[in-house]
Amino acid sequence: MSITPPDLSVFETLESEVRSYCRGWPTVFDRAQGSRMFDEDGHEYLDFFAGAGSLNYGHNNPVLKRALIDYIERDGVTHGLDMSTTAKRAFLETLQNVILRPRDLPYKVMFPGPTGTNAVESALKLARKVKGRESIVSFTNAFHGMSLGSLAVTGNAFKRAGAGIPLVHGTPMPFDNYLDGQTPDFIWFERVLEDQGSGLNQPAAVIVETVQGEGGINVARAEWLRKLADVCERWDMLLIVDDIQMGCGRTGAFFSFEEAGITPDIVTVSKSISGYGLPMSLCLFKPELDVWEPGEHNGTFRGNNPAFVTAAAALEAYWTDGAAMEKQTLARGQQIEQVLKALHEEHSDAVKEVRGRGLVWGLEFNDVERAGAVAKRAFELGLLVETSGPQGEVVKLLPALTITREELEEGLRTLTRAVRETA
């Protein structure tokens, strides 16, 4: 690493104090390719962060980059609101033929705006409109976005406090294993639903992540998700699965809920749906829920046509034979699991638990400061990892799905060294 510190002056003097990731990785990044990032001094970093899950196919994926360059060079439409364009048509047809139809998912597709929280807001709004009720049930340690509606169904106290106003119309319930298996699933939830004295307004919907990324890599069991779907059906509540970070193959299958064999009423998708890190989100829902009036929910940046181009290219390249991608992701996940479990055994006094699915894994420490120290040391050694959990007590691994076995081994060796050197 360079002895001369990077020039961060303009960021520190002009950019808001709200900046966060740059504080943990104090360098100036200049270029990136695949699972590698390079700073302006030429130092190389192996990326186990993947744009917070928005770069499932790596940085500047050559197949997607070629499609994007060709589209730009022929003066394809860049900004199109919700106008019909050739790029949007190609994406919709590919999504239907490659993803939805093979899974027998009859969803309508809504483009609510560029970010994940746009998709969540539209899902909550639609659920309330369909059911004529305002209450939404979410889960402990959930994270659904930073706008007010999304924050109202988010668990993290620090993020909620940033709203500056009371966050209402959301009711938290215990996530899977929140009570350490001491209480039967949904006993409290069903009790307050049936009790006329509970004070719970009949909810319009329940929103859930199958794996809570920001919440600490908390993995819901398939049977828990099936029971949740059953509760929603019996109590006339819509089931919303937030697949913003865990979708697009992160857990193995394209949608993270496929393993449970459920069909949510509404699904939110963002992050890696564009494939290239371009802003794009979707709200998918069953056809009978499409009760919108034209223009009732809109936004200027719904029609990011370059994102449609790279999204279609990603689906064609990696999901036409989705079984191959899923098999590789699960194999890479087993590779991570073996190393993390070995770390757990080696540092049983410090490591509380190992959790994960597919290519999202968490290493939870008993000392809440330790995860941050490990991430800092990993950066010094050339590996990018972030922390998650309510107190930042979990080291979170989120490598690209396209990472090679050798790159994964290299990164895991670096992580192991970081853990040992912060003991």
Side-chain angles (χ1 to χ4, degrees), residues 4 51 59 75 108 157 231 239 270 277 296 301 334 354 382 399 411 417:
T4 304
H59 294 270
D75 291 330
K108 297 290 289 289
V231 170
L239 176 59
S270 186
E296 192 173 9
F301 294 100
Q334 290 176 349
V354 170
R417 180 180 169 187

Side-chain angles (χ1 to χ4, degrees), residues 210 241-247 254-257 267-270:
T210 65
V241 168
D242 181 339
D243 231 9
I244 288 167
Q245 189 168 80
M246 299 305 155
F254 187 84
F255 293 109
S256 70
F257 55 81
V267 182
T268 59
V269 183
S270 186

Side-chain angles (χ1 to χ4, degrees), residues 41 70 341:
D41 292 324
D70 289 347
K341 284 187 173 180

Side-chain angles (χ1 to χ4, degrees), residues 137-152:
V137 168
S138 57
F139 291 95
T140 50
N141 289 313
F143 178 78
H144 295 291
M146 298 297 280
S147 52
L148 293 180
S150 299
L151 278 176

Side-chain angles (χ1 to χ4, degrees), residues 46 62 90 98 114 128 158 172 186 193 198 229 232 234 253 273 297 327 332 346 371 403 406:
L46 189 55
V98 175
R128 287 169 170 140
F158 174 75
F186 307 112
L193 282 169
S198 69
C232 288
R234 286 189 287 108
I273 189 61
H297 189 92
K327 182 178 179 181
R332 299 282 190 272
E346 180 182 340
I403 193 169
E406 293 73 25

Side-chain angles (χ1 to χ4, degrees), residues 20 22 29-30 32 49 53 82 116 120 161 200 231 241 257 262 269 293 334 336 340 376 387:
S20 59
C22 56
F29 293 103
D30 178 57
F49 176 62
D82 71 348
V120 170
L200 176 69
V231 170
V241 168
F257 55 81
I262 61 174
V269 183
E293 295 291 335
Q334 290 176 349
I336 294 176
L340 295 190
K376 180 180 178 182
T387 61

